Amino acid sequence: VTCLLPYTANTAFSQNDVVSAAAPIVVSSGLEGGGYWNTAGRLQAVAGGMGLTVENHASSGSLANLKALFDKNSPVSLAFAQADALQFFLNQNTGAAQTIETLESVGQECVFIISKRDSDIRTDKDLQESPRLHLGIKSSKSGIWVTFNYMKSLIPELGQTTLIYGDTVKMMTDFAHPKSNIKEAVMVVHGLNEHSPEIDMVIANPDQFRFVRIRDERLTQKAASGEAIYRRMRVAPGAVKGADSVETICVQGLLLANKNKVTPEQRNKLME
């Protein structure tokens, strides 16, 4: 897909490209109604009370946010992104790191992989060893896609997994009619206090679905920055009453700024 290619067009800046103090702050958040979009809405409301104009632009996810943030022809000056998406983007665009600033961490985003209760897919080791595995995710442009591909860069054995794009709730429903010799699972990534229909289906139907345990220590190895992108955690979806804990990995969500698109005055007010 095109987002695998280095994103270099329109990313060069000069002093003349720096925005004026009168320019509004435009934040590229995420899907309308999602966690990042709602957080941007709260930021917009608080900033407005401090005399700072903030616009909340919905997007398809972390990669789209990062591309807009570093495009000098885009008005986007702030963006939400998962730490793995940022690292993935910087690996493809090495010069971009010089213009980025992390303003704030905005909570953990955790990986939930779901399989059929009677499936052989119980752990990430089973994912690696399955010769014919279909893993459902929503879109090839989503943060979930980035997370899986970053996981694959740490665990090459995941390379034999076939990604299937589309309605993951329908895919879970179709688990009841398995394809011959093909193992199936779906993957979602979201904050602990966010609802998702996939998580709700697991909790409501424990006899039909299970969470896949993620344990491989390679996932938490340190990146070039000296820090690990993922943390191993035992978590329970906080938005679902009575949910059991799950062994998985989580990644930090970040609010990022392009230094060339915000003035010192805007930055100081944002930090407040």
Side-chain angles (χ1 to χ4, degrees), residues 92-154:
Q92 303 290 326
N93 303 271
T94 53
Q98 300 173 1
T99 61
I100 194 169
E101 180 180 10
T102 300
L103 296 182
E104 189 62 75
S105 296
V106 292
Q108 300 281 347
E109 301 277 319
C110 297
V111 174
F112 298 99
I113 297 179
I114 300 162
S115 66
K116 190 178 177 183
R117 169 59 66 176
D118 60 3
S119 169
D120 295 334
I121 306 299
R122 298 180 177 88
T123 70
D124 55 350
K125 192 174 191 311
D126 297 327
L127 294 173
Q128 299 168 36
E129 294 178 349
S130 178
R132 300 190 69 194
L133 172 67
H134 285 181
L135 182 66
I137 67 173
K138 289 182 179 179
S139 167
S140 62
K141 298 180 180 179
S142 66
I144 304 169
W145 181 91
V146 178
T147 295
F148 177 78
N149 277 277
Y150 197 81
M151 290 171 63
K152 187 171 67 174
S153 74
L154 300 173

Side-chain angles (χ1 to χ4, degrees), residues 2-34:
T2 56
C3 53
L4 272 172
L5 300 176
Y7 186 79
T8 56
N10 298 321
T11 56
F13 280 93
S14 69
Q15 289 298 316
N16 294 329
D17 293 321
V18 178
V19 296
S20 69
I25 293 173
V26 179
V27 54
S28 188
S29 55
L31 293 174
E32 189 168 340

